[in-house]
Amino acid sequence: MNRRFLIALLLLWSLGPLLWQVYTSFCSDQALIQPFVSNDHRWTLIHYQNVLNANPPFWRYLINSLIVGATSTFLCLVLALPAAYALNRIPRQLSVLTRLALVGAALFPYVLLFLALLELARALNLGNQLLALSLPYAALSQPLAILLLNSAFNDLPPELEDAAKLEGLSLFQRFRWILIPLISPATASTAILVFLFSWNEYPIALTWISDSNKLTLPVAMARIAGSSIYSVPYGAYAAATVLGSIPLVLLVLIFQKPIVSGLTSGAVKG
Amino acid sequence: MTVFLLLPSLLFLLVVFVGPLFRYAWLSFHADSVMTGLIAIPNGGANWLRLVQDQRYWQDLGQTLRFAGVSVGLELFLALIIALLLDQRWRGRDLVRTLALIPWALPTTVMALGWRWIFNTPYGPIDYFTNLVGIGSLNILGDPNLTWMATVWADVWKTTPFAALILLAGLQTIPVDLYEAVRLEGGNPLICLRRITLPLLRPYILLALLFRLAQAFGVFDLIQVLTGGGPASSTESVALYAYWNALRFLDFGYSSTIIMASFLLISVICLIAWIGLQILIPTHSESRGVIKS
Amino acid sequence: MKQSTFIKKILASLFAVLICSAVFGLVRARTIESVTFLMAAPFADATRDLVKQFNQEHRGEINLQVVRGPLETEAMSDLAISSLLLGKAPFDGLLMDVTWLPKYAAAGWMEPLEDFFNEKDVDALAIGAREGNSYDGHLYRWPLTADMGLLYYRTDLMEQPPATPEELVLVSQSLQKDRKVDWGYVWQGRQYEGLSCVYLEMIDGFGGDWLQPNNNHIGLDLDPGVQAAAWLQELIDQGVSPNAVTNYAEPEALQSFKVGDAAFMRNWPYAWTELQKSDSAVKGNVGITTMVARPGHSTATLGSWGLTVLKGSAHVNASIEAIRFLTNESSQKQLFLKHGYTPTQQSVFDDPQLLQDKPILAEFGQALKVVKARPETPLYAQISDVLTRQLSSILTRETTPKDGMNVATSHTNQILISAGEKL
């Protein structure tokens, strides 16, 4: 089979829908309904204007997602790094069992947790607070994070740490100066994967946040979907889609190496 | 000492994964709804009895399984092709791999709006093409027989890159000499695939399969934004039904029951899938003998 | 040395001024009560001028802000509920659809209002507008607009509007045969709350009843219920309504009627104003009446929106002030003239100047007299869901009217039984 043809097909399939949205976002409402309107009246920036001038403005959602993403990633790493290290230091039976449990938790369809987490938010008054979202997000990404970081710790030669112990370095110092720097590729991979997860997460953000100023990107898009009072709102939708996609496309392009290595090593060890 | 390192993480995990399951189990034996003033009152197995008789739940379950099965099957098939393509070395491969990852990185709800437009009748491009090739307008998002396929398509588009990467990781662990050996014995690419690639890839296929099956079973974002469960409730999933019971009908007791039942069912299904895969694709050592003979 | 003490003095006095102005500002701010209302997008836009007026009149005392929520009623309710479930709702008042009231009241989320609105206030309302504001003996909602379902027809294509379902079909078919219109009747056939509204008018029109909340009697599977469902399905089968009507909500039906594609449309009063706009192909040729029915059974589904105050609000009195302002005579006149929202005060309906300017007001007043509310129960969302599900199946020919209505009845029974309402 012609490889070029397959590659072209792959690119068309992967990028086509998004490119169609880019195209739609610049089309006037008239042009959308009548595909054969002359090119004079076709192009417009009004959809972007509407989306960016909405109340709240679109960039607000991106900032909210950024805040949640950063805090979730930080919290996740703070929890997972020690745990991943400790996983190698507990009795063999226990660690095998724990690893199995973690794999199970990683597979779990977390959307089913929404109700219990909503009750948690009500009980502890965590609703409508962006920083509070990092708590469930960090918890949900623990399984994957621990497994990835643990395999990275495993790859380190044990002599390294023994030598450091002999030098008299405390646990914290060993962490700070030796272990963490050495597994930084794995940490970077884990960080970017957790960050992506929190940008993509929907059900928990939906139930924990209702204030329109605090919405994260996915929830804001869903709300935009239900908001329109026009009969053909798709120009505005397309503009919102493009604006919402840009940060993520940039993330993927910039961090492609850690993402790919994170997923593949996760697969190999998992 | 090590215990202290594990404790914080363990605490979070217990609260978020284990706690809810116990809570759901407990709540499913109580009536907790707007009719009880949002207070939990024990009602024995009434919720479970209701679930068994709830035709809507079983219909949703069937629809969810149909969605998950077709979606995951299609994904794995396409992912294998893509992984085989990306396993070879050619110019621009890394760039193509990155670009192919973009669908996976986009939040579902963001692209769902795009799909609503693409599948729109009569203004979307799909409608344009079906008319061009003479099929006529299909009313994809309004026909109960067709809409679920649109949801499958949107899901496959998003998650195939992820599955492809997993399979690619597996492909890269297969030593090249094995292929050489088969070629020397006169085998063609198809035999390579069947006797070597698939058996050695089995653990990775298993991983992708189980992961995707469990996630697809919980489909929520896509359905809520793309179809809202319609038309005629043909795309409604169990997660969506549970959500509505909690947030629209304010019936937390029944919602817990739905979630608990669904969790038990998906565990059983994953188990069956795992066993099924073991049978379908024999391991390398099992197939080795076939080549020799 | 002198310089440093001089500078210190300057800094000290600046500091003092800062503190004073901050305290002053804080004190001023404390006395301005900030009241927030949540409204669906169309209403938020329509009341913008009124809100500005209110804030001007109450400058320094009350500042009213309207938060714009989603358009779709269900999405709006989801938003309100998720805010309320999380504990402290970020708003004081909510513009509520008539069907949400029992559920929100039973959940204990609303402040009773009977201390603020006395009998005189209630009597000033048009009779139809008094429906759907109370639950369990308490007044919870003060109506803003009193919507009712209407049958719109083309006055240029017929002398009199049809009165019975059979007549509507006959008139449509003859007009379609003469190629005067593409379609006879466009309505809301999508699987959502609008479909329940359409159906309610038909089942009542055929002499039946959906659900009696006091004795929990379900009338869906009885003759009138099945006939109503069958009639709707036949509209599509006979080509009186397009296939696409199974995906129509109010905007789509309006669009179709506005460009002149249909002879009849079911919609709410707001559509009247839209149809008189300059881009409307049927401007000046539109009449309204209540839905076709068996003689004496013509009904209009009640669709009113009203303002409620949430329990736990720190600004109850200020909220009531705002509510009174938004629903007083002059506000209602403004809303009616500019946006076509039906008033709730009887005096507005009787206003001679208004009647002269917009004679359609008299029609609205008549229709308001025959409104019927949807079943008032906290379980409404569930039973409406069940009904629209089955109706959608019937309309898309997945099942027959008889079977569909039987299923709807049994499911409704299940819901009532498990809620403890029925044994």
Side-chain angles (χ1 to χ4, degrees):
Chain A
M1 268 189 273
N2 195 345
R3 182 194 291 164
R4 288 253 173 109
F5 176 67
L6 282 179
I7 297 173
L9 213 61
L10 175 63
L11 284 178
L12 181 68
W13 181 57
S14 301
L15 301 176
L18 191 57
L19 291 173
W20 186 259
Q21 287 302 93
V22 174
Y23 167 70
T24 304
S25 66
F26 290 112
C27 286
S28 64
D29 281 339
Q30 284 285 70
L32 289 180
I33 308 184
Q34 302 156 293
F36 301 110
V37 161
S38 76
N39 277 347
D40 293 341
H41 303 286
R42 172 153 276 246
W43 309 114
T44 174
L45 281 178
I46 192 167
H47 300 305
Y48 284 99
Q49 280 176 332
N50 284 337
V51 172
L52 289 169
N53 289 333
N55 182 19
F58 197 79
W59 49 260
R60 169 130 238 134
Y61 307 132
L62 299 179
I63 294 191
N64 290 340
S65 275
L66 192 67
I67 295 175
V68 175
T71 46
S72 309
T73 307
F74 178 71
L75 186 59
C76 176
L77 288 177
V78 163
L79 293 170
L81 279 167
Y85 174 79
L87 202 58
N88 289 331
R89 304 236 167 347
I90 59 180
R92 181 125 186 98
Q93 289 282 49
L94 210 59
S95 91
V96 165
L97 220 70
T98 315
R99 250 177 270 258
L100 213 62
L102 286 174
V103 171
L107 295 181
F108 192 88
Y110 67 87
V111 70
L112 294 180
L113 300 170
F114 85 90
L115 185 57
L117 291 176
L118 176 62
E119 290 191 313
L120 206 64
R122 290 182 72 192
L124 300 178
N125 218 356
L126 296 172
N128 273 319
Q129 291 171 62
L130 282 176
L131 295 180
L133 260 187
S134 64
L135 296 170
Y137 284 2
L140 288 174
S141 15
Q142 285 296 289
L144 184 68
I146 296 179
L147 288 171
L148 279 179
L149 294 170
N150 177 247
S151 76
F153 276 127
N154 268 338
D155 288 341
L156 293 180
E159 302 87 57
L160 231 71
E161 233 207 314
D162 294 336
K165 271 195 229 174
L166 285 175
E167 296 264 341
L169 289 174
S170 74
L171 185 65
F172 180 72
Q173 285 172 320
R174 293 204 299 276
F175 251 104
R176 170 100 169 71
W177 299 111
I178 307 210
L179 297 168
I180 292 182
L182 279 177
I183 63 163
S184 56
T187 312
S189 298
T190 310
I192 188 67
L193 287 176
V194 174
F195 193 71
L196 277 177
F197 164 73
S198 69
W199 267 79
N200 268 261
E201 206 283 329
Y202 179 69
I204 299 174
L206 177 68
T207 48
W208 281 39
I209 304 216
S210 59
D211 186 355
S212 49
N213 283 317
K214 305 216 179 94
L215 295 179
T216 57
L217 179 65
V219 187
M221 291 302 293
R223 211 177 267 193
I224 290 175
S227 277
S228 174
I229 55 179
Y230 307 110
S231 41
V232 185
Y234 291 101
Y237 288 174
T241 304
V242 172
L243 288 175
S245 306
I246 290 177
L248 292 148
V249 172
L250 285 176
L251 275 172
V252 171
L253 289 176
I254 298 176
F255 292 104
Q256 45 165 310
K257 272 240 171 68
I259 293 176
V260 172
S261 78
L263 287 175
T264 52
S265 83
V268 171
K269 309 299 172 136
Chain B
M1 188 63 222
T2 30
V3 179
F4 291 126
L5 291 175
L6 278 173
L7 220 53
S9 179
L10 200 65
L11 194 69
F12 270 74
L13 285 170
L14 283 176
V15 168
V16 161
F17 284 101
V18 179
L21 289 178
F22 281 104
R23 172 75 181 161
Y24 291 146
W26 183 84
L27 204 55
S28 68
F29 289 99
H30 291 70
D32 183 353
S33 71
V34 69
M35 302 302 284
T36 67
L38 298 183
I39 301 173
I41 300 174
N43 68 355
N47 287 335
W48 289 94
L49 198 62
R50 178 177 168 194
L51 187 69
V52 168
Q53 298 171 330
D54 189 350
Q55 197 190 55
R56 181 171 178 180
Y57 175 71
W58 297 104
Q59 181 176 340
D60 288 351
L61 187 66
Q63 285 165 190
T64 311
L65 288 175
R66 172 179 67 176
F67 169 84
V70 175
S71 184
V72 175
L74 204 56
E75 264 162 45
L76 285 178
F77 175 69
L78 290 174
L80 189 62
I81 298 177
I82 295 175
L84 288 171
L85 187 63
L86 291 176
D87 190 27
Q88 302 159 358
R89 239 156 265 256
W90 34 271
R91 246 181 69 184
R93 177 192 73 162
D94 281 357
L95 180 65
V96 171
R97 185 187 59 191
T98 308
L99 291 176
L101 257 186
I102 288 178
W104 170 74
L106 298 178
T108 319
T109 57
V110 168
M111 203 50 213
L113 288 188
W115 290 113
R116 260 217 234 168
W117 179 237
I118 292 176
F119 287 119
N120 180 289
T121 312
Y123 304 128
I126 303 276
D127 190 73
Y128 178 72
F129 280 118
T130 55
N131 273 306
L132 205 66
V133 298
I135 305 179
S137 274
L138 281 179
N139 196 17
I140 295 178
L141 291 180
D143 184 342
N145 295 316
L146 295 178
T147 313
W148 72 273
M149 295 189 206
T151 61
V152 166
W153 186 256
D155 190 56
V156 167
W157 182 81
K158 178 178 161 83
T159 52
T160 302
F162 176 76
L165 268 191
I166 293 187
L167 294 183
L168 183 62
L171 282 178
Q172 289 176 337
T173 63
I174 300 179
V176 190
D177 340 336
L178 284 178
Y179 293 120
E180 283 300 321
V182 174
R183 213 154 296 154
L184 286 176
E185 291 184 20
N188 58 33
L190 208 60
I191 294 202
C192 274
L193 195 69
R194 252 183 37 223
R195 303 293 183 217
I196 301 187
T197 319
L198 284 182
L200 283 177
L201 216 48
R202 193 176 72 178
Y204 298 90
I205 297 180
L206 185 68
L207 183 68
L209 175 70
L210 288 182
F211 187 77
R212 282 297 314 143
L213 206 57
Q215 301 300 314
F217 189 75
V219 66
F220 176 72
D221 326 5
L222 180 65
I223 305 291
Q224 202 192 37
V225 179
L226 183 60
T227 66
S233 300
S234 58
T235 56
E236 195 175 279
S237 66
V238 293
L240 200 59
Y241 189 41
Y243 176 79
W244 281 343
N245 266 289
L247 281 159
R248 227 173 245 189
F249 308 149
L250 296 180
D251 193 342
F252 296 118
Y254 193 53
S255 183
S256 304
T257 319
I258 295 173
I259 296 176
M260 199 65 211
S262 305
F263 167 68
L264 293 171
L265 283 167
I266 188 59
S267 306
V268 168
I269 289 170
C270 279
L271 201 65
I272 296 177
W274 186 52
I275 298 175
L277 196 68
Q278 312 273 26
I279 300 174
L280 222 71
I281 303 179
T283 55
H284 179 69
S285 45
E286 295 160 24
S287 59
R288 200 73 161 285
V290 188
I291 296 180
K292 287 271 154 98
S293 62
Chain C
M1 286 296 116
K2 272 207 189 126
Q3 239 187 357
S4 69
T5 31
F6 182 65
I7 291 178
K8 273 196 198 146
K9 279 208 182 121
I10 297 279
L11 284 175
S13 35
L14 272 176
F15 192 59
V17 169
L18 200 67
I19 296 285
C20 283
S21 49
V23 171
F24 182 67
L26 218 65
V27 169
R28 274 309 299 281
R30 281 267 163 78
T31 59
I32 297 183
E33 284 198 72
S34 187
V35 175
T36 320
F37 281 3
L38 175 64
M39 294 190 191
F43 294 102
D45 295 337
T47 53
R48 201 173 303 159
D49 293 332
L50 290 175
V51 171
K52 237 190 270 181
Q53 262 180 279
F54 179 80
N55 286 333
Q56 270 177 340
E57 282 180 29
H58 290 83
R59 179 178 303 215
E61 291 165 17
I62 308 179
N63 185 307
L64 176 64
Q65 269 182 309
V66 171
V67 176
R68 203 169 174 272
L71 162 79
E72 290 168 1
T73 308
E74 271 154 24
M76 183 65 216
S77 179
D78 287 346
L79 166 60
I81 291 183
S82 52
S83 293
L84 291 164
L85 274 179
L86 286 173
K88 282 182 301 158
F91 36 84
D92 302 288
L94 174 65
L95 184 64
M96 189 177 287
D97 181 51
V98 64
T99 51
W100 310 347
L101 187 80
K103 183 163 68 189
Y104 285 51
W109 287 334
M110 283 154 13
E111 191 76 46
L113 302 177
E114 55 263 19
D115 294 333
F116 300 98
F117 295 98
N118 54 27
E119 275 209 35
K120 223 175 47 156
D121 295 313
V122 174
D123 287 339
L125 294 175
I127 296 184
R130 297 181 209 167
E131 300 271 333
N133 300 318
S134 312
Y135 179 73
D136 209 22
H138 291 284
L139 177 74
Y140 286 109
R141 185 184 83 132
W142 197 247
L144 179 71
T145 85
D147 273 350
M148 73 297 285
L150 297 166
L151 180 65
Y152 287 74
Y153 67 97
R154 294 273 296 277
T155 52
D156 56 332
L157 297 175
M158 62 195 85
E159 287 278 335
Q160 289 276 56
T164 70
E166 295 80 11
E167 275 178 37
L168 183 131
V169 172
L170 284 174
V171 173
S172 301
Q173 285 175 325
S174 94
L175 284 173
Q176 281 174 292
K177 201 153 61 128
D178 295 341
R179 298 189 167 277
K180 298 267 178 67
V181 282
D182 287 342
W183 302 108
Y185 177 33
V186 290
W187 41 284
Q188 293 83 49
R190 186 189 292 178
Q191 184 185 341
Y192 80 127
E193 182 57 27
L195 183 53
S196 292
C197 298
V198 168
Y199 182 75
L200 181 68
E201 283 157 2
M202 299 325 298
I203 188 176
D204 271 43
F206 278 96
D209 218 357
W210 177 356
L211 170 69
Q212 299 271 28
N214 43 7
N215 61 8
N216 283 323
H217 178 257
I218 306 173
L220 295 172
D221 56 345
L222 303 177
D223 270 344
V226 178
Q227 280 174 337
W231 186 74
L232 289 172
Q233 186 199 48
E234 276 155 18
L235 288 175
I236 305 176
D237 285 348
Q238 294 168 332
V240 173
S241 302
N243 269 328
V245 87
T246 60
N247 208 21
Y248 276 13
E250 286 84 353
E252 288 81 6
L254 178 59
Q255 173 84 348
S256 181
F257 192 75
K258 191 168 174 174
V259 299
D261 282 348
F264 298 102
M265 167 181 75
R266 186 220 174 260
N267 218 316
W268 305 96
Y270 85 96
W272 171 263
T273 314
E274 290 292 313
L275 291 169
Q276 305 306 319
K277 288 198 174 140
S278 51
D279 59 344
S280 161
V282 298
K283 179 179 168 147
N285 289 324
V286 180
I288 60 167
T289 177
T290 52
M291 186 50 59
V292 292
R294 294 261 170 283
H297 285 272
S298 185
T299 352
T301 304
L302 177 70
S304 74
W305 288 82
L307 289 159
T308 60
V309 178
L310 295 175
K311 221 181 213 137
S313 159
H315 310 287
V316 178
N317 285 313
S319 303
I320 301 282
E321 276 289 319
I323 294 178
R324 277 195 186 279
F325 181 84
L326 291 172
T327 57
N328 66 22
E329 268 198 52
S330 88
S331 300
Q332 295 206 343
K333 283 192 191 152
Q334 271 190 51
L335 285 175
F336 173 65
L337 286 171
K338 273 208 228 135
H339 304 278
Y341 287 136
T342 29
T344 58
Q345 307 267 15
Q346 187 59 44
S347 54
V348 180
F349 279 108
D350 297 335
D351 184 299
Q353 183 62 39
L354 217 55
L355 284 170
Q356 213 180 22
D357 292 338
K358 296 256 175 148
I360 198 70
L361 185 61
E363 304 278 354
F364 289 162
Q366 287 294 98
L368 194 55
K369 297 209 170 99
V370 292
V371 283
K372 178 79 189 275
R374 285 157 277 178
E376 289 170 63
T377 155
L379 300 168
Y380 179 72
Q382 279 160 287
I383 64 173
S384 176
D385 203 51
V386 162
L387 177 64
T388 55
R389 216 171 134 94
Q390 294 311 312
L391 282 175
S392 188
S393 280
I394 294 172
L395 294 176
T396 53
R397 314 212 97 251
E398 302 270 303
T399 178
T400 67
K402 184 96 187 109
D403 291 339
M405 284 297 121
N406 280 337
V407 171
T409 307
S410 84
H411 286 185
T412 309
N413 253 324
Q414 263 178 4
I415 292 172
L416 292 173
I417 292 173
S418 50
E421 291 278 287
K422 220 174 178 176
L423 289 164

